[in-house]
Amino acid sequence: MLSERRLEVLRAIVQDYVGTEEPVGSKALTERHKLGVSPATVRNDMAVLEDEGYIAQPHTSAGRIPTDKGYRLFVDRLAGVKPLSSPERRAIQNFLDGAVDLDDVVGRTVRLLAQLTRQVAVVQYPSLTRSTVRHVELLALAPARLMLVLITDTGRVEQRMVDAPAPFGEAALADLRARLNSRVVGRRFADVPQLVQDLPESFETDDRGTVQVVLATLLETLVEETEERLMIGGTANLTRFGHDFPLTIRPVLEALEEQVVLLKLLGEANESGMTVRIGHENAYEGLNSTSVVSVGYGSGGEAVAKLGVVGPTRMDYPGTMGAVRAVARYVGQILAES
Amino acid sequence: MLSERRLEVLRAIVQDYVGTEEPVGSKALTERHKLGVSPATVRNDMAVLEDEGYIAQPHTSAGRIPTDKGYRLFVDRLAGVKPLSSPERRAIQNFLDGAVDLDDVVGRTVRLLAQLTRQVAVVQYPSLTRSTVRHVELLALAPARLMLVLITDTGRVEQRMVDAPAPFGEAALADLRARLNSRVVGRRFADVPQLVQDLPESFETDDRGTVQVVLATLLETLVEETEERLMIGGTANLTRFGHDFPLTIRPVLEALEEQVVLLKLLGEANESGMTVRIGHENAYEGLNSTSVVSVGYGSGGEAVAKLGVVGPTRMDYPGTMGAVRAVARYVGQILAES
DNA sequence: TCTGGCACTCGGGCAGCCCGAGTGCCAGCA
DNA sequence: TGCTGGCACTCGGGCTGCCCGAGTGCCAGA
């Protein structure tokens, strides 16, 4: 167990290093922080912290920098979440209030988050599986060509073409549309399959095939779209990464293009609370020198999707966590209103 | 007017510099290319080319590199468009054929283009203004809450919420839906405004307000969506930019996030043929050290949108142009089929 | 008009040097 | 026992001076 003062030293190291990007030495520490002890004492503390693996020296005769383990301790025990200032809060609200549709909400959120944190922002679109159905529409573009449109309570719209095995009359179409809606509107997507299971039976033999194809397409859409979409922004902030950055930045850019990786990353995050993954805690190798701060957001009490930021392990955790949390909250509000 | 041989020297310089990324000297040139003259002669030619502004020296006692003007001449007069190999063509077709919807087509296109050219790819979604209407759908989510869904011939779907000033009956809704569709289906978006102009008059006074709001929303959607959407990919290729690249890459990343800038960039491109903008020819300052190769694509003979790549001015122009042209062609085919 | 020769320039890389920040250790003191 | 001041030591970074070689421009001759 580390003494109170040693924790204080660790905190000071993290803060200084985040600020200056340079290894911090014992003397500088005592000058910038009121630790009440001499550099020599700090040196002893640092030696202990290094033994325990919380800090490291890039090379002899250099200051110390925090390790992933050090940041972890800092986040868990030494740092709170820094709330945003009220002007910032107002700015967020104003900015998000102007959104006209879901794409716009997500787009604005991603820009906002990138700007606030000066890092790369990732926002997941509200998930289909947790959403409820607001409406299902079925259009005949040609006698045997239908279009299926799915509208969610979060405003998301998905459409699919359906090629019917046989021409499908306008009456049958209206019938199917009505029955489909009466069964699924307001229900969760996850429950849809069993709700429509027996629908084909109530149709005439001629139409049954088409109904089945339509339902199959609907269910398929639900499954496919479980691979969620997401939007990223603020990649220009990657240039603030560090000196050695051509090596660091490349795998990060690659990771950001792999939506699968990002979704997995966000997916790993805790259901409700905020999650911080530091450096090697990230499963994906390319992100080993980055930290990911993510949190769920949703229209009600329940999270329908996640958002977060990706930045260097050397980041301002309290500030970033504050911004992420605040933005998630406001987006949730906006979604609830629409 | 430059002699044939001097042009040949310029071509050799461009090719070598693109390959090696290093200033090329007279001796190396004569060794790698069969120019049939001595280094001394080449030096004289180089001096002329430099006077004319086609090449430059980073510093005395270094080789020459092409200027923007040099690349321009190279593209205009010295280089053709390099056709893809037939395995490449087959690969493109196979890759694009698997697409399930418009988002997927665009997504695959962007990945494909980035991979083929090893540069940053930009693909614009098919434009609404040049598209035609396939269907307009109108749904009542609540008595005074409507949803307007617009479906284009390219498979794009746009939706908007409409708050009606007064409750709107199911009959009136069906009526409006039918009339709207009979007037605009198959017409170009640009023609829609005047086609629906007199619609409100044929409705009862009670409903007229709502009809007007719906139409207003429809027209607004057309205008708003003239700010097109686009998708980018291959940003990881930016790391291959050059040595000095932290300075170069930042403004490029910023430009790539400014959709407006990109759209303008693509928009400037020629209607039909391929357009190459080299270095300072790009209006946007951040892209002054990049070249943009863009071309229109479309389902018929007509271009409905554009796509292209952004890369360093030092790029393989013939190869890039070949890839861009080929991809545009296949995407056009795919769109025509769907 | 091309060519070979020659003197010149200058950036990059290498070796050597110094400087200073930072360390670990130790003896002394509360 | 724990903190402190002092001291010797280490080592990376930056500066200087140097050389080398690629590349140039010019010129006289074929």
Side-chain angles (χ1 to χ4, degrees), chain A residues 32 44 65 87 108 123 126 128 150 158 226 238 243 277 294:
Chain A
R32 272 202 285 268
N44 290 328
I65 61 177
R108 280 165 183 255
V123 178
L128 283 187
L150 205 59
E158 287 296 326
T226 314
L238 285 175
H243 335 284
R277 302 230 162 237
S294 57

Side-chain angles (χ1 to χ4, degrees), chain B residues 30 40 42 61 68 74 81 119 122 129 136 145 192 204 217 245 251 273 277 288 301 319-320 328-329 337:
Chain B
T30 54
V42 171
S61 95
D68 290 351
F74 176 81
V81 175
Q119 275 152 202
V122 183
T129 46
V136 178
R145 192 120 209 249
V192 168
E204 302 205 1
T217 309
F245 96 147
R277 302 229 162 238
N288 272 350
T320 304
R329 243 175 231 169
E337 286 163 15

Side-chain angles (χ1 to χ4, degrees), chain B residues 5 37-38 41 43 59-61:
Chain B
R5 196 190 60 226
V37 291
S38 76
T41 310
R43 279 205 288 280
H59 45 254
T60 345
S61 95

Side-chain angles (χ1 to χ4, degrees), chain A residues 5 37-38 41 43 59-61:
Chain A
R5 197 192 56 227
V37 293
S38 75
T41 310
R43 281 205 287 280
H59 45 256
T60 344
S61 94

